[in-house]
Amino acid sequence: MKTTLSIAGMHCASCANTITKALKKTKGVTDANVNFAMKKATIEHDDAATEEQLIKAVTDTGYQAMPDAMTGMKHDMPRGTSHQGMQMPAGHEGMSPSEHLHHQESEKLTRRLVVSAIFAIPALIIAMLFMDDGLLFTGIELPYAPWILLLLATPVQFYAAFDFYKGTWIALKNKSANMDSLIVVGTLAAYFYSVYALFTGGQQYFEIAAILITFVLLGKVLEARATSKTNAAIRTLMELAPKQATVLRGKREVKISVDEVQQGDLLLVRPGEKIPVDGVITSGESSIDESMVTGESLPVDKKKGDTVIGATINKNGTLTIKATKVGTDTTLAHIIRLIQDAQGRKAPIERFADTISSFFVPAVIVIAVLTFITWMLLGSAFSFALIAAVLVLVIACPCALGLATPTAIMVGTGKGAQIGILIKGGDILETTHKVRHILFDKTGTITKGTPDVTDVVPIADLTEKELLRITASIEHASEHPIAQAIVRKAKGMTLAKISGFKATSGKGVEASIGKKHYHIGNRAQLNTTLGEVEPKMRALEEQGKTVVVLAHGKTVLGLVAVADTVKETSREAIEELKKLGMTVHMITGDNEHTAKAIAGQVGIESVFANVLPEHKAEKVKELQQQGSVAMIGDGINDAPALAQADVGIAMGSGTDVAMETGDIVLMKNDLRDIPRAIALSRATMAKVKQNMFWALFYNTLGIPIAAGVLYPFTGWLLSPLIAGAAMALSSVSVVTNSLLLRYKKI
Ligand code: ADP
Ligand code: MG
């Protein structure tokens, strides 16, 4: 079972570690993952752990948790009642409780920042300009300046910094220390030392503590703002969900909330309206804008019998549709869930950041102590050495490092979703950029998968019509695209009754009509060799057609050839992939001649033909010896290969099994989205690496400045300012860099 919780109160990456540990210790939990950037916990567990127990495990550590709004839409919004029992301030309707929680939290943070700035800035001005030891002393000395500073610093220290105390307390309760603890220990030391100095006549540092707290808060506010933008893609998708539907009850039209639509309801959709849920058109025709779901910008013409997707826009005709999928089963709900799961999955590279973060607190304490000792040994005043150590403690928060991967991945997966490429996890973006071999399934992937009968060739003594009728009668029982083509061709004919039908995957079918038993399929399906029919069959195959044979015992009765057209964009896609440095292969259950002919049309040299479904995965394994493999397929028979490949790419038009198994789903069924997916993964990983560089860069820069390397040149007030600014900037620059990915052309 999987549960997603929305978490509030996390300040830094180390908070996420604390919660993860607590969740993992809870009975029944097999795995837990807390995403600091998304403020979400994804928990794998069995029946032994209920949602309430998981929430309790989080609240026990001191953070807030609630069922996640997006995955558990129904939990948050009981049918018909909106946010029952939740107190929603005016103006925030339409926000889910968990969004509301984060909203409240960010408002609180902003309030604390404002208060902090209102007191800290005057304190800084006084200390710099109106005290005789100030950096830019004006010559005018403010009477009682130290006391005024005490008054200004106190609300900053105890009101604005309140959350840091809370965080420290949580850490203490969990017998650990976190970034909050560093800030608290550091600023309290500066504050109380200054109070002591006030009475004994030493140097005071009130304004340093105050200004540092302000910087830390500023960094957090900017970070929260930017982080909430990284998830814009999902929010856009959620906002797409239609709110109302017009249901037909007999002759009456009734407007109801989309939540209340039941499977089987007949719904009326007027031009310009959104299709409320997934369904089938029962009357009317129209062109439909599906771009929001498939990324395909051209509207699609649809008529009676065609399926429609909820949230797409009906352009010009009035339609009646029968609801087939409602609530959390709709395509849109499914896509949203997919992306969320994806964003909750950690990319391996993120573990690197986590490892660094977990060593950080102890390392920073060691550096702070060393700083203190060094300055004392160099003969500086106790107060000076203390302040340098304090600065190290406060500046060192590696928040930016914790944000480096998740923000880039959120933007990357979100961007993918917008252009119709569903990527199921951060880990997948990471594996995709390493892919070297691309293995395509033929039918339904390179080709359209809706073949048509081109030739009906009787061999023995029977008419074309009779050959088609027997074949169609038997194929009627099969789901295979070839079978469907044959049945379509035989439309209008009276089909015969069959018995003893049996399908052999990758080979063909067999059944009896009356007393006669027939085999239909490829060479492997037959009990006989083809003899003089072979050259005829081969000639058709070399034209790229798939030929099935109808045989009765050892007698070959005839051939039926079907041709499947190559998708218009397949060739271009394969060319682009080659340009990206990929080796491209094709794999198919079809025979070698047909396979080679099709491969030739799209520019693939390496072909594996006659591969039985159960052997496709083995072929993938073989290729993996030579490098990372992406397998692209659409059918149930491709699923094992999709699973075996480093990256499984499924077509959106494919079977549900393929889409469940695939790591990436191409909603537009356009193979050109594969080079795009690769480009997107490369761009995202580049961002992750840049982010990590910047995060580490700012920290390695900030810590020595804080420790006092620049004191001899800048004086004691400027250094904390520079170090504080570097720290606030680090998170912001990382998140901004991730956001830039949104504007990159893929
Ligand atoms: P692919 O890998 O191209 O999707 P399959 O593994 O489904 O192909 O099928 C491989 C071959 O088996 C087909 O090309 C066809 O010759 C034969 N075959 C499979 N099912 C049928 C069927 N229902 N009727 C006739 N031939 C079939
Ligand atoms: Mg296929």
Side-chain angles (χ1 to χ4, degrees), residues 423-456:
I423 300 162
K424 295 201 202 156
D427 46 343
I428 289 158
L429 276 169
E430 191 169 343
T431 34
T432 305
H433 96 293
K434 292 186 191 140
V435 164
R436 288 295 162 267
H437 290 270
I438 309 267
L439 188 55
F440 282 103
D441 164 56
K442 178 174 77 72
T443 326
T445 303
I446 290 184
T447 66
K448 288 185 178 153
T450 42
D452 282 310
V453 173
T454 52
D455 306 78
V456 181

PDB file of all heavy atoms in Angstrom, residues 423-456:
ATOM      1  N   ILE A 423       6.931  11.107 -17.389  1.00  0.00           N
ATOM      2  CA  ILE A 423       8.126  10.446 -16.878  1.00  0.00           C
ATOM      3  C   ILE A 423       7.835  10.035 -15.450  1.00  0.00           C
ATOM      4  O   ILE A 423       7.433  10.863 -14.640  1.00  0.00           O
ATOM      5  CB  ILE A 423       9.322  11.414 -16.929  1.00  0.00           C
ATOM      6  CG1 ILE A 423       9.543  11.831 -18.371  1.00  0.00           C
ATOM      7  CG2 ILE A 423      10.568  10.764 -16.342  1.00  0.00           C
ATOM      8  CD1 ILE A 423      10.365  13.067 -18.514  1.00  0.00           C
ATOM      9  N   LYS A 424       7.994   8.747 -15.156  1.00  0.00           N
ATOM     10  CA  LYS A 424       7.483   8.272 -13.881  1.00  0.00           C
ATOM     11  C   LYS A 424       8.425   8.414 -12.689  1.00  0.00           C
ATOM     12  O   LYS A 424       8.129   7.873 -11.640  1.00  0.00           O
ATOM     13  CB  LYS A 424       7.013   6.825 -14.022  1.00  0.00           C
ATOM     14  CG  LYS A 424       5.829   6.685 -14.968  1.00  0.00           C
ATOM     15  CD  LYS A 424       5.095   5.409 -14.708  1.00  0.00           C
ATOM     16  CE  LYS A 424       4.284   4.963 -15.892  1.00  0.00           C
ATOM     17  NZ  LYS A 424       4.055   3.525 -15.841  1.00  0.00           N
ATOM     18  N   GLY A 425       9.528   9.117 -12.815  1.00  0.00           N
ATOM     19  CA  GLY A 425      10.341   9.278 -11.617  1.00  0.00           C
ATOM     20  C   GLY A 425      11.643   9.997 -11.862  1.00  0.00           C
ATOM     21  O   GLY A 425      12.171   9.995 -12.973  1.00  0.00           O
ATOM     22  N   GLY A 426      12.150  10.596 -10.806  1.00  0.00           N
ATOM     23  CA  GLY A 426      13.417  11.292 -10.902  1.00  0.00           C
ATOM     24  C   GLY A 426      14.527  10.328 -11.287  1.00  0.00           C
ATOM     25  O   GLY A 426      15.430  10.650 -12.052  1.00  0.00           O
ATOM     26  N   ASP A 427      14.415   9.108 -10.749  1.00  0.00           N
ATOM     27  CA  ASP A 427      15.413   8.097 -11.070  1.00  0.00           C
ATOM     28  C   ASP A 427      15.420   7.822 -12.571  1.00  0.00           C
ATOM     29  O   ASP A 427      16.455   7.531 -13.158  1.00  0.00           O
ATOM     30  CB  ASP A 427      15.160   6.811 -10.281  1.00  0.00           C
ATOM     31  CG  ASP A 427      13.695   6.392 -10.305  1.00  0.00           C
ATOM     32  OD1 ASP A 427      12.846   7.245 -10.638  1.00  0.00           O
ATOM     33  OD2 ASP A 427      13.402   5.228 -10.006  1.00  0.00           O
ATOM     34  N   ILE A 428      14.243   7.933 -13.200  1.00  0.00           N
ATOM     35  CA  ILE A 428      14.158   7.635 -14.630  1.00  0.00           C
ATOM     36  C   ILE A 428      14.803   8.735 -15.464  1.00  0.00           C
ATOM     37  O   ILE A 428      15.493   8.458 -16.446  1.00  0.00           O
ATOM     38  CB  ILE A 428      12.691   7.400 -15.020  1.00  0.00           C
ATOM     39  CG1 ILE A 428      12.284   6.073 -14.400  1.00  0.00           C
ATOM     40  CG2 ILE A 428      12.515   7.370 -16.522  1.00  0.00           C
ATOM     41  CD1 ILE A 428      10.865   5.886 -14.215  1.00  0.00           C
ATOM     42  N   LEU A 429      14.627   9.976 -15.036  1.00  0.00           N
ATOM     43  CA  LEU A 429      15.331  11.057 -15.737  1.00  0.00           C
ATOM     44  C   LEU A 429      16.827  10.794 -15.699  1.00  0.00           C
ATOM     45  O   LEU A 429      17.554  11.075 -16.645  1.00  0.00           O
ATOM     46  CB  LEU A 429      15.030  12.403 -15.075  1.00  0.00           C
ATOM     47  CG  LEU A 429      13.741  13.067 -15.539  1.00  0.00           C
ATOM     48  CD1 LEU A 429      13.406  14.241 -14.652  1.00  0.00           C
ATOM     49  CD2 LEU A 429      13.875  13.520 -16.981  1.00  0.00           C
ATOM     50  N   GLU A 430      17.262  10.261 -14.562  1.00  0.00           N
ATOM     51  CA  GLU A 430      18.692  10.008 -14.438  1.00  0.00           C
ATOM     52  C   GLU A 430      19.147   8.842 -15.316  1.00  0.00           C
ATOM     53  O   GLU A 430      20.189   8.931 -15.971  1.00  0.00           O
ATOM     54  CB  GLU A 430      19.065   9.762 -12.970  1.00  0.00           C
ATOM     55  CG  GLU A 430      20.557   9.763 -12.773  1.00  0.00           C
ATOM     56  CD  GLU A 430      20.964   9.784 -11.315  1.00  0.00           C
ATOM     57  OE1 GLU A 430      20.128  10.114 -10.460  1.00  0.00           O
ATOM     58  OE2 GLU A 430      22.120   9.465 -11.050  1.00  0.00           O
ATOM     59  N   THR A 431      18.356   7.743 -15.363  1.00  0.00           N
ATOM     60  CA  THR A 431      18.788   6.620 -16.208  1.00  0.00           C
ATOM     61  C   THR A 431      18.646   6.959 -17.689  1.00  0.00           C
ATOM     62  O   THR A 431      19.444   6.512 -18.504  1.00  0.00           O
ATOM     63  CB  THR A 431      17.993   5.323 -15.920  1.00  0.00           C
ATOM     64  OG1 THR A 431      16.674   5.682 -15.572  1.00  0.00           O
ATOM     65  CG2 THR A 431      18.602   4.535 -14.805  1.00  0.00           C
ATOM     66  N   THR A 432      17.638   7.760 -18.036  1.00  0.00           N
ATOM     67  CA  THR A 432      17.411   8.066 -19.445  1.00  0.00           C
ATOM     68  C   THR A 432      18.603   8.779 -20.072  1.00  0.00           C
ATOM     69  O   THR A 432      18.935   8.549 -21.227  1.00  0.00           O
ATOM     70  CB  THR A 432      16.145   8.927 -19.610  1.00  0.00           C
ATOM     71  OG1 THR A 432      15.065   8.255 -18.998  1.00  0.00           O
ATOM     72  CG2 THR A 432      15.819   9.162 -21.076  1.00  0.00           C
ATOM     73  N   HIS A 433      19.255   9.620 -19.307  1.00  0.00           N
ATOM     74  CA  HIS A 433      20.337  10.357 -19.942  1.00  0.00           C
ATOM     75  C   HIS A 433      21.579   9.499 -20.181  1.00  0.00           C
ATOM     76  O   HIS A 433      22.516   9.913 -20.828  1.00  0.00           O
ATOM     77  CB  HIS A 433      20.617  11.679 -19.207  1.00  0.00           C
ATOM     78  CG  HIS A 433      21.730  11.622 -18.211  1.00  0.00           C
ATOM     79  ND1 HIS A 433      21.644  10.885 -17.069  1.00  0.00           N
ATOM     80  CD2 HIS A 433      22.940  12.221 -18.191  1.00  0.00           C
ATOM     81  CE1 HIS A 433      22.753  11.027 -16.394  1.00  0.00           C
ATOM     82  NE2 HIS A 433      23.563  11.825 -17.045  1.00  0.00           N
ATOM     83  N   LYS A 434      21.519   8.259 -19.649  1.00  0.00           N
ATOM     84  CA  LYS A 434      22.652   7.354 -19.881  1.00  0.00           C
ATOM     85  C   LYS A 434      22.402   6.374 -21.024  1.00  0.00           C
ATOM     86  O   LYS A 434      23.282   5.604 -21.389  1.00  0.00           O
ATOM     87  CB  LYS A 434      22.911   6.534 -18.613  1.00  0.00           C
ATOM     88  CG  LYS A 434      23.419   7.365 -17.460  1.00  0.00           C
ATOM     89  CD  LYS A 434      23.784   6.457 -16.295  1.00  0.00           C
ATOM     90  CE  LYS A 434      24.030   7.260 -15.047  1.00  0.00           C
ATOM     91  NZ  LYS A 434      23.462   6.591 -13.871  1.00  0.00           N
ATOM     92  N   VAL A 435      21.177   6.363 -21.560  1.00  0.00           N
ATOM     93  CA  VAL A 435      20.808   5.371 -22.580  1.00  0.00           C
ATOM     94  C   VAL A 435      21.671   5.474 -23.829  1.00  0.00           C
ATOM     95  O   VAL A 435      21.991   6.568 -24.290  1.00  0.00           O
ATOM     96  CB  VAL A 435      19.320   5.533 -22.959  1.00  0.00           C
ATOM     97  CG1 VAL A 435      19.008   4.825 -24.254  1.00  0.00           C
ATOM     98  CG2 VAL A 435      18.439   5.004 -21.839  1.00  0.00           C
ATOM     99  N   ARG A 436      22.094   4.279 -24.356  1.00  0.00           N
ATOM    100  CA  ARG A 436      22.906   4.247 -25.579  1.00  0.00           C
ATOM    101  C   ARG A 436      22.211   3.470 -26.690  1.00  0.00           C
ATOM    102  O   ARG A 436      22.418   3.706 -27.852  1.00  0.00           O
ATOM    103  CB  ARG A 436      24.275   3.603 -25.297  1.00  0.00           C
ATOM    104  CG  ARG A 436      25.210   4.470 -24.481  1.00  0.00           C
ATOM    105  CD  ARG A 436      25.633   5.748 -25.217  1.00  0.00           C
ATOM    106  NE  ARG A 436      26.157   6.750 -24.315  1.00  0.00           N
ATOM    107  CZ  ARG A 436      25.420   7.717 -23.764  1.00  0.00           C
ATOM    108  NH1 ARG A 436      24.155   7.837 -24.054  1.00  0.00           N
ATOM    109  NH2 ARG A 436      25.947   8.581 -22.936  1.00  0.00           N
ATOM    110  N   HIS A 437      21.382   2.474 -26.302  1.00  0.00           N
ATOM    111  CA  HIS A 437      20.709   1.633 -27.298  1.00  0.00           C
ATOM    112  C   HIS A 437      19.207   1.836 -27.230  1.00  0.00           C
ATOM    113  O   HIS A 437      18.634   1.846 -26.143  1.00  0.00           O
ATOM    114  CB  HIS A 437      21.019   0.153 -27.038  1.00  0.00           C
ATOM    115  CG  HIS A 437      22.434  -0.192 -27.335  1.00  0.00           C
ATOM    116  ND1 HIS A 437      22.838  -0.618 -28.572  1.00  0.00           N
ATOM    117  CD2 HIS A 437      23.549  -0.133 -26.558  1.00  0.00           C
ATOM    118  CE1 HIS A 437      24.148  -0.829 -28.531  1.00  0.00           C
ATOM    119  NE2 HIS A 437      24.605  -0.536 -27.329  1.00  0.00           N
ATOM    120  N   ILE A 438      18.603   1.994 -28.416  1.00  0.00           N
ATOM    121  CA  ILE A 438      17.157   2.146 -28.458  1.00  0.00           C
ATOM    122  C   ILE A 438      16.599   0.962 -29.229  1.00  0.00           C
ATOM    123  O   ILE A 438      17.011   0.700 -30.356  1.00  0.00           O
ATOM    124  CB  ILE A 438      16.760   3.434 -29.199  1.00  0.00           C
ATOM    125  CG1 ILE A 438      17.520   4.625 -28.646  1.00  0.00           C
ATOM    126  CG2 ILE A 438      15.257   3.617 -29.170  1.00  0.00           C
ATOM    127  CD1 ILE A 438      16.838   5.377 -27.573  1.00  0.00           C
ATOM    128  N   LEU A 439      15.682   0.241 -28.594  1.00  0.00           N
ATOM    129  CA  LEU A 439      15.127  -0.952 -29.194  1.00  0.00           C
ATOM    130  C   LEU A 439      13.636  -0.728 -29.415  1.00  0.00           C
ATOM    131  O   LEU A 439      12.878  -0.513 -28.472  1.00  0.00           O
ATOM    132  CB  LEU A 439      15.355  -2.109 -28.223  1.00  0.00           C
ATOM    133  CG  LEU A 439      15.046  -3.508 -28.674  1.00  0.00           C
ATOM    134  CD1 LEU A 439      15.779  -3.852 -29.945  1.00  0.00           C
ATOM    135  CD2 LEU A 439      15.413  -4.495 -27.572  1.00  0.00           C
ATOM    136  N   PHE A 440      13.235  -0.730 -30.709  1.00  0.00           N
ATOM    137  CA  PHE A 440      11.834  -0.466 -31.027  1.00  0.00           C
ATOM    138  C   PHE A 440      11.073  -1.746 -31.292  1.00  0.00           C
ATOM    139  O   PHE A 440      11.555  -2.615 -32.025  1.00  0.00           O
ATOM    140  CB  PHE A 440      11.746   0.366 -32.313  1.00  0.00           C
ATOM    141  CG  PHE A 440      12.035   1.812 -32.122  1.00  0.00           C
ATOM    142  CD1 PHE A 440      13.259   2.347 -32.507  1.00  0.00           C
ATOM    143  CD2 PHE A 440      11.066   2.655 -31.594  1.00  0.00           C
ATOM    144  CE1 PHE A 440      13.517   3.699 -32.354  1.00  0.00           C
ATOM    145  CE2 PHE A 440      11.318   4.005 -31.449  1.00  0.00           C
ATOM    146  CZ  PHE A 440      12.548   4.529 -31.827  1.00  0.00           C
ATOM    147  N   ASP A 441       9.879  -1.833 -30.783  1.00  0.00           N
ATOM    148  CA  ASP A 441       8.934  -2.847 -31.231  1.00  0.00           C
ATOM    149  C   ASP A 441       8.423  -2.356 -32.584  1.00  0.00           C
ATOM    150  O   ASP A 441       8.440  -1.157 -32.847  1.00  0.00           O
ATOM    151  CB  ASP A 441       7.797  -2.932 -30.207  1.00  0.00           C
ATOM    152  CG  ASP A 441       6.588  -3.647 -30.762  1.00  0.00           C
ATOM    153  OD1 ASP A 441       6.751  -4.785 -31.209  1.00  0.00           O
ATOM    154  OD2 ASP A 441       5.496  -3.066 -30.740  1.00  0.00           O
ATOM    155  N   LYS A 442       8.001  -3.271 -33.448  1.00  0.00           N
ATOM    156  CA  LYS A 442       7.556  -2.829 -34.774  1.00  0.00           C
ATOM    157  C   LYS A 442       6.088  -2.408 -34.775  1.00  0.00           C
ATOM    158  O   LYS A 442       5.773  -1.227 -34.925  1.00  0.00           O
ATOM    159  CB  LYS A 442       7.775  -3.937 -35.814  1.00  0.00           C
ATOM    160  CG  LYS A 442       7.282  -3.552 -37.202  1.00  0.00           C
ATOM    161  CD  LYS A 442       7.630  -4.597 -38.245  1.00  0.00           C
ATOM    162  CE  LYS A 442       6.735  -5.828 -38.223  1.00  0.00           C
ATOM    163  NZ  LYS A 442       5.376  -5.621 -38.726  1.00  0.00           N
ATOM    164  N   THR A 443       5.215  -3.406 -34.573  1.00  0.00           N
ATOM    165  CA  THR A 443       3.785  -3.163 -34.760  1.00  0.00           C
ATOM    166  C   THR A 443       3.227  -2.250 -33.674  1.00  0.00           C
ATOM    167  O   THR A 443       3.378  -2.538 -32.499  1.00  0.00           O
ATOM    168  CB  THR A 443       3.018  -4.505 -34.720  1.00  0.00           C
ATOM    169  OG1 THR A 443       3.863  -5.490 -35.294  1.00  0.00           O
ATOM    170  CG2 THR A 443       1.724  -4.404 -35.441  1.00  0.00           C
ATOM    171  N   GLY A 444       2.595  -1.175 -34.084  1.00  0.00           N
ATOM    172  CA  GLY A 444       1.969  -0.294 -33.104  1.00  0.00           C
ATOM    173  C   GLY A 444       2.937   0.710 -32.526  1.00  0.00           C
ATOM    174  O   GLY A 444       2.551   1.637 -31.832  1.00  0.00           O
ATOM    175  N   THR A 445       4.236   0.519 -32.801  1.00  0.00           N
ATOM    176  CA  THR A 445       5.214   1.455 -32.272  1.00  0.00           C
ATOM    177  C   THR A 445       5.826   2.232 -33.431  1.00  0.00           C
ATOM    178  O   THR A 445       5.634   3.447 -33.546  1.00  0.00           O
ATOM    179  CB  THR A 445       6.288   0.707 -31.459  1.00  0.00           C
ATOM    180  OG1 THR A 445       5.635  -0.021 -30.423  1.00  0.00           O
ATOM    181  CG2 THR A 445       7.284   1.662 -30.856  1.00  0.00           C
ATOM    182  N   ILE A 446       6.540   1.510 -34.304  1.00  0.00           N
ATOM    183  CA  ILE A 446       7.069   2.178 -35.504  1.00  0.00           C
ATOM    184  C   ILE A 446       5.933   2.344 -36.522  1.00  0.00           C
ATOM    185  O   ILE A 446       5.823   3.367 -37.184  1.00  0.00           O
ATOM    186  CB  ILE A 446       8.213   1.350 -36.117  1.00  0.00           C
ATOM    187  CG1 ILE A 446       9.424   1.416 -35.181  1.00  0.00           C
ATOM    188  CG2 ILE A 446       8.581   1.880 -37.505  1.00  0.00           C
ATOM    189  CD1 ILE A 446      10.647   0.730 -35.712  1.00  0.00           C
ATOM    190  N   THR A 447       5.092   1.323 -36.585  1.00  0.00           N
ATOM    191  CA  THR A 447       3.949   1.409 -37.497  1.00  0.00           C
ATOM    192  C   THR A 447       2.712   1.842 -36.724  1.00  0.00           C
ATOM    193  O   THR A 447       2.729   1.888 -35.502  1.00  0.00           O
ATOM    194  CB  THR A 447       3.657   0.050 -38.135  1.00  0.00           C
ATOM    195  OG1 THR A 447       3.234  -0.839 -37.108  1.00  0.00           O
ATOM    196  CG2 THR A 447       4.881  -0.518 -38.817  1.00  0.00           C
ATOM    197  N   LYS A 448       1.656   2.157 -37.463  1.00  0.00           N
ATOM    198  CA  LYS A 448       0.449   2.649 -36.809  1.00  0.00           C
ATOM    199  C   LYS A 448      -0.250   1.580 -35.990  1.00  0.00           C
ATOM    200  O   LYS A 448      -0.997   1.888 -35.074  1.00  0.00           O
ATOM    201  CB  LYS A 448      -0.517   3.194 -37.860  1.00  0.00           C
ATOM    202  CG  LYS A 448      -0.014   4.510 -38.428  1.00  0.00           C
ATOM    203  CD  LYS A 448      -1.020   5.122 -39.366  1.00  0.00           C
ATOM    204  CE  LYS A 448      -0.484   6.453 -39.870  1.00  0.00           C
ATOM    205  NZ  LYS A 448      -1.019   6.794 -41.191  1.00  0.00           N
ATOM    206  N   GLY A 449      -0.025   0.311 -36.332  1.00  0.00           N
ATOM    207  CA  GLY A 449      -0.623  -0.764 -35.559  1.00  0.00           C
ATOM    208  C   GLY A 449      -2.052  -1.057 -35.960  1.00  0.00           C
ATOM    209  O   GLY A 449      -2.716  -1.871 -35.335  1.00  0.00           O
ATOM    210  N   THR A 450      -2.539  -0.373 -36.979  1.00  0.00           N
ATOM    211  CA  THR A 450      -3.867  -0.708 -37.499  1.00  0.00           C
ATOM    212  C   THR A 450      -3.689  -1.119 -38.959  1.00  0.00           C
ATOM    213  O   THR A 450      -3.920  -0.337 -39.864  1.00  0.00           O
ATOM    214  CB  THR A 450      -4.828   0.495 -37.434  1.00  0.00           C
ATOM    215  OG1 THR A 450      -4.095   1.651 -37.849  1.00  0.00           O
ATOM    216  CG2 THR A 450      -5.374   0.699 -36.056  1.00  0.00           C
ATOM    217  N   PRO A 451      -3.241  -2.366 -39.166  1.00  0.00           N
ATOM    218  CA  PRO A 451      -2.952  -2.811 -40.522  1.00  0.00           C
ATOM    219  C   PRO A 451      -4.231  -2.986 -41.333  1.00  0.00           C
ATOM    220  O   PRO A 451      -5.316  -3.098 -40.766  1.00  0.00           O
ATOM    221  CB  PRO A 451      -2.268  -4.158 -40.315  1.00  0.00           C
ATOM    222  CG  PRO A 451      -2.727  -4.636 -38.995  1.00  0.00           C
ATOM    223  CD  PRO A 451      -3.035  -3.437 -38.169  1.00  0.00           C
ATOM    224  N   ASP A 452      -4.089  -3.001 -42.661  1.00  0.00           N
ATOM    225  CA  ASP A 452      -5.210  -3.272 -43.549  1.00  0.00           C
ATOM    226  C   ASP A 452      -4.854  -4.444 -44.444  1.00  0.00           C
ATOM    227  O   ASP A 452      -3.683  -4.624 -44.806  1.00  0.00           O
ATOM    228  CB  ASP A 452      -5.481  -2.047 -44.426  1.00  0.00           C
ATOM    229  CG  ASP A 452      -6.217  -0.985 -43.649  1.00  0.00           C
ATOM    230  OD1 ASP A 452      -7.231  -1.329 -43.019  1.00  0.00           O
ATOM    231  OD2 ASP A 452      -5.759   0.184 -43.648  1.00  0.00           O
ATOM    232  N   VAL A 453      -5.862  -5.199 -44.818  1.00  0.00           N
ATOM    233  CA  VAL A 453      -5.633  -6.323 -45.722  1.00  0.00           C
ATOM    234  C   VAL A 453      -5.325  -5.766 -47.107  1.00  0.00           C
ATOM    235  O   VAL A 453      -6.043  -4.897 -47.606  1.00  0.00           O
ATOM    236  CB  VAL A 453      -6.873  -7.239 -45.775  1.00  0.00           C
ATOM    237  CG1 VAL A 453      -6.695  -8.318 -46.838  1.00  0.00           C
ATOM    238  CG2 VAL A 453      -7.121  -7.852 -44.415  1.00  0.00           C
ATOM    239  N   THR A 454      -4.244  -6.222 -47.721  1.00  0.00           N
ATOM    240  CA  THR A 454      -3.887  -5.729 -49.055  1.00  0.00           C
ATOM    241  C   THR A 454      -4.062  -6.804 -50.133  1.00  0.00           C
ATOM    242  O   THR A 454      -4.385  -6.490 -51.257  1.00  0.00           O
ATOM    243  CB  THR A 454      -2.419  -5.264 -49.088  1.00  0.00           C
ATOM    244  OG1 THR A 454      -1.618  -6.322 -48.584  1.00  0.00           O
ATOM    245  CG2 THR A 454      -2.204  -4.024 -48.265  1.00  0.00           C
ATOM    246  N   ASP A 455      -3.768  -8.054 -49.772  1.00  0.00           N
ATOM    247  CA  ASP A 455      -3.865  -9.126 -50.752  1.00  0.00           C
ATOM    248  C   ASP A 455      -4.564 -10.337 -50.158  1.00  0.00           C
ATOM    249  O   ASP A 455      -4.307 -10.683 -49.009  1.00  0.00           O
ATOM    250  CB  ASP A 455      -2.467  -9.584 -51.192  1.00  0.00           C
ATOM    251  CG  ASP A 455      -1.609  -8.433 -51.680  1.00  0.00           C
ATOM    252  OD1 ASP A 455      -1.080  -7.671 -50.804  1.00  0.00           O
ATOM    253  OD2 ASP A 455      -1.463  -8.265 -52.889  1.00  0.00           O
ATOM    254  N   VAL A 456      -5.440 -10.936 -50.942  1.00  0.00           N
ATOM    255  CA  VAL A 456      -6.047 -12.206 -50.544  1.00  0.00           C
ATOM    256  C   VAL A 456      -5.746 -13.171 -51.690  1.00  0.00           C
ATOM    257  O   VAL A 456      -6.210 -12.986 -52.803  1.00  0.00           O
ATOM    258  CB  VAL A 456      -7.563 -12.051 -50.342  1.00  0.00           C
ATOM    259  CG1 VAL A 456      -8.183 -13.367 -49.899  1.00  0.00           C
ATOM    260  CG2 VAL A 456      -7.847 -10.956 -49.308  1.00  0.00           C
TER     261      VAL A 456
END
